[in-house]
Amino acid sequence: MLPSLLLWWWLISGLIIAWAVLSGPIKRGRREAAGERERRAGIAEAERHRQLASLDVMTGTEFENHVANLCLRDGLEIVQSGGGAGDLGADVIANLPDGRRVVIQCKRYRASGSVSGPEMQQFLGTVRAEHGADVALFVTTARRFTQQATDLAGRHRVYLIQRDRLAFWNNGTPLPSLLSSWEHDRTRGGY
């Protein structure tokens, strides 16, 4: 009985010592891996925002054409591109591969700017009634939409792509993925 207890004591002691010796490098490795993931995410975010600088120097028409090109890249068929005077709030009209009509309003603003409630109201006045949108999309280079604009968009199912989401779209995230993430955020109560 005594040798058996002694054997168990040595085995348990050995396991505790092995755990103590090995847990340090394992924990350090996990911390280093987490730090590396965070560093890479930071680099990717910085790159996304750096590339937005090229959008900031575009004219409004160039920005509308860029948005149309993003749609083309993502497999949408362009029906109309380039708004201008008399566009009735539709800078880009395109069809998703599943046939739904997407109507896009583009606003190239300073990053510090915002899209206002009256601008959203104007878009809402024509997006479905005049243009027959299945999907209404408001894209801006500004960092935010005002609370009034956000509330209106939520009530009328307008997808909002502000500067941060635009960074993802501009860097390869397909529009359907952005729309899915927006739906997810909307059901959680955010935009």
Side-chain angles (χ1 to χ4, degrees):
M1 178 97 159
L2 189 58
S4 174
L5 263 176
L6 197 54
L7 180 65
W8 276 108
W9 183 84
W10 280 105
L11 181 61
I12 290 172
S13 296
L15 288 173
I16 291 171
I17 291 169
W19 175 80
V21 168
L22 294 176
S23 69
I26 291 171
K27 287 179 183 176
R28 187 173 47 254
R30 287 181 182 155
R31 280 192 307 270
E32 288 172 1
E36 179 63 13
R37 282 191 302 275
E38 188 176 319
R39 184 185 73 80
R40 286 183 181 171
I43 290 170
E45 182 174 349
E47 178 62 17
R48 281 192 303 274
H49 288 285
R50 184 190 65 75
Q51 290 182 2
L52 284 179
S54 66
L55 302 182
D56 292 334
V57 297
M58 290 180 175
T59 66
T61 301
E62 289 170 336
F63 180 60
E64 292 166 5
N65 290 332
H66 181 73
V67 168
N69 287 330
L70 291 174
C71 290
L72 282 172
R73 179 201 70 195
D74 294 344
L76 281 74
E77 174 193 354
I78 302 300
V79 175
Q80 172 189 317
S81 175
D87 67 6
L88 298 175
D91 296 318
V92 178
I93 299 176
N95 292 325
L96 285 162
D98 64 10
R100 289 181 295 160
R101 177 170 279 225
V102 179
V103 177
I104 304 172
Q105 172 67 291
C106 302
K107 292 292 183 188
R108 195 203 53 75
Y109 287 160
R110 290 184 325 273
S112 61
S114 61
V115 175
S116 69
E119 290 171 301
M120 185 62 66
Q121 288 172 337
Q122 188 175 13
F123 180 55
L124 288 170
T126 60
V127 68
R128 289 196 170 78
E130 185 68 31
H131 300 294
D134 297 309
V135 177
L137 183 63
F138 205 119
V139 180
T140 184
T141 53
R143 282 199 173 83
R144 64 183 214 90
F145 289 82
T146 64
Q147 189 62 51
Q148 183 185 29
T150 301
D151 292 345
L152 282 166
R155 286 196 306 272
H156 296 279
R157 298 188 48 85
V158 175
Y159 292 86
L160 304 178
I161 296 186
Q162 44 56 290
R163 191 171 189 85
D164 291 334
R165 282 198 174 117
L166 179 58
F168 284 102
W169 191 21
N170 193 50
N171 288 296
T173 302
L175 181 59
S177 294
L178 288 173
L179 298 178
S180 295
S181 74
W182 185 88
E183 278 297 323
H184 175 73
D185 289 351
R186 188 183 67 77
T187 58
R188 287 189 1 228
Y191 295 96

